[in-house]
């Protein structure tokens, strides 16, 4: 009968080649995936940068990637806008800054009552971004009954004969030039927009309709002033 010996047990537990062999097996060559591609490109071209230079190249690569991602986001996804006038007061005050969602309208059409941002071409050819509330779309008949000349229950906005109601339209509207009423028929692929502050806003009453192709998107996140930070324009239950 064989007797158990501690030295024999240690020999059985230790693989051939000893512990040093185990350590060698655990050591792996540096992964190429962890090497910045700019460094790998330099090595492929026959130049091997020093560790310090390689680290600097890695930072340059990270900053370049971040810059490209930021450009793509601001070009195709979001844009920040600051409002210079009070045409949308009190909904959007002078100096308010917000981000505009440029994605949603690629999957659906703007709806009456939503606040939209769009391009408008000035008489001198300059293009400027404006923000107004969408009132009617292509093919609809819009009528304004001046709230200074009609009782509250009879004044306001009427689209195809029906009065627009709800929080988005709960304000006084006025015609241009003191007329009791004004009417427009919106052309196809165009929109009729108004500012919430109807007494001071220059909008479709003055310069006509907004082409659907000129619509940029809809505001969704107010970032200035800080005390008003949050979602807006109906996003996630916010006020319209």
């Amino acid at each position: 009968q064989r007797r158990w010996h501690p030295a024999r047990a240690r020999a059985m537990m230790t693989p051939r080649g000893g512990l040093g062999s185990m350590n060698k097996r655990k050591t792996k060559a540096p992964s190429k995936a962890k090497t910045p591609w700019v460094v790998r490109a330099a090595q492929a071209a026959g130049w091997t940068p020093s560790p310090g230079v390689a680290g600097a190249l890695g930072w340059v690569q990270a900053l370049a990637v971040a810059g490209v991602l930021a450009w793509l986001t601001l070009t195709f996804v979001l844009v920040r806008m600051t409002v210079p006038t009070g045409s949308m007061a009190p909904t959007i005050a002078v100096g308010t800054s917000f981000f505009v969602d440029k994605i949603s309208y690629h999957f659906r059409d703007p709806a009456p009552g939503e606040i939209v941002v769009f391009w408008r071409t000035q008489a001198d050819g300059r293009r400027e971004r404006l923000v107004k509330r969408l009132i009617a779309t292509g093919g609809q008949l819009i009528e304004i009954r001046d709230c200074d000349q009609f009782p509250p229950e009879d004044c306001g906005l009427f689209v195809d004969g029906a009065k627009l109601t709800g929080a988005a339209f709960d304000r006084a509207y006025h015609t241009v030039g003191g007329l009791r009423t004004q009417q427009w028929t919106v052309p196809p692929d165009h929109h009729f927009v108004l500012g919430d502050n109807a007494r001071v806003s220059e909008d479709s009453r003055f310069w006509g309709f907004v082409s659907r192709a000129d619509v940029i998107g809809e505001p969704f996140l107010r970032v200035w002033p800080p005390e008003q930070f949050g979602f807006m324009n109906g996003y996630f239950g916010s006020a319209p």
Side-chain angles (χ1 to χ4, degrees), residues 93-153:
V94 177
T96 297
S97 183
F98 49 76
F99 280 106
V100 179
D101 170 13
K102 300 174 67 175
I103 294 294
S104 294
Y105 288 156
H106 288 287
F107 301 97
R108 67 176 182 85
D109 293 328
E114 294 177 342
I115 301 172
V116 296
V117 175
F118 55 91
W119 291 109
R120 179 175 178 265
T121 303
Q122 302 283 4
D124 58 6
R126 291 183 301 109
R127 282 165 63 84
E128 63 176 347
R129 279 194 307 239
L130 297 181
V131 55
K132 305 291 180 185
R133 191 178 297 277
L134 192 150
I135 304 300
T137 59
Q140 293 184 315
L141 174 66
I142 170 71
E143 178 185 5
I144 300 178
R145 297 180 186 176
D146 194 291
C147 287
D148 286 341
Q149 303 189 49
F150 284 86
E153 63 273 15

Side-chain angles (χ1 to χ4, degrees), residues 2 17 75 84 88 117 153 158 164 202 217 234:
R2 301 179 63 182
T75 301
M88 284 296 293
V117 175
E153 63 273 15
F158 293 77
L164 298 181
E202 291 191 8

Side-chain angles (χ1 to χ4, degrees), residues 2-13:
R2 301 179 63 182
R3 300 179 61 186
W4 183 258
H5 194 279
R8 183 181 294 122
R10 285 195 297 272
M12 294 175 63
M13 295 173 62

Side-chain angles (χ1 to χ4, degrees), residues 200-220:
V200 302
S201 175
E202 291 191 8
D203 41 44
S204 288
R205 295 172 298 171
F206 295 88
W207 37 252
F209 310 102
V210 176
S211 170
R212 181 179 177 182
D214 287 334
V215 175
I216 299 171
E218 54 180 339
F220 77 100

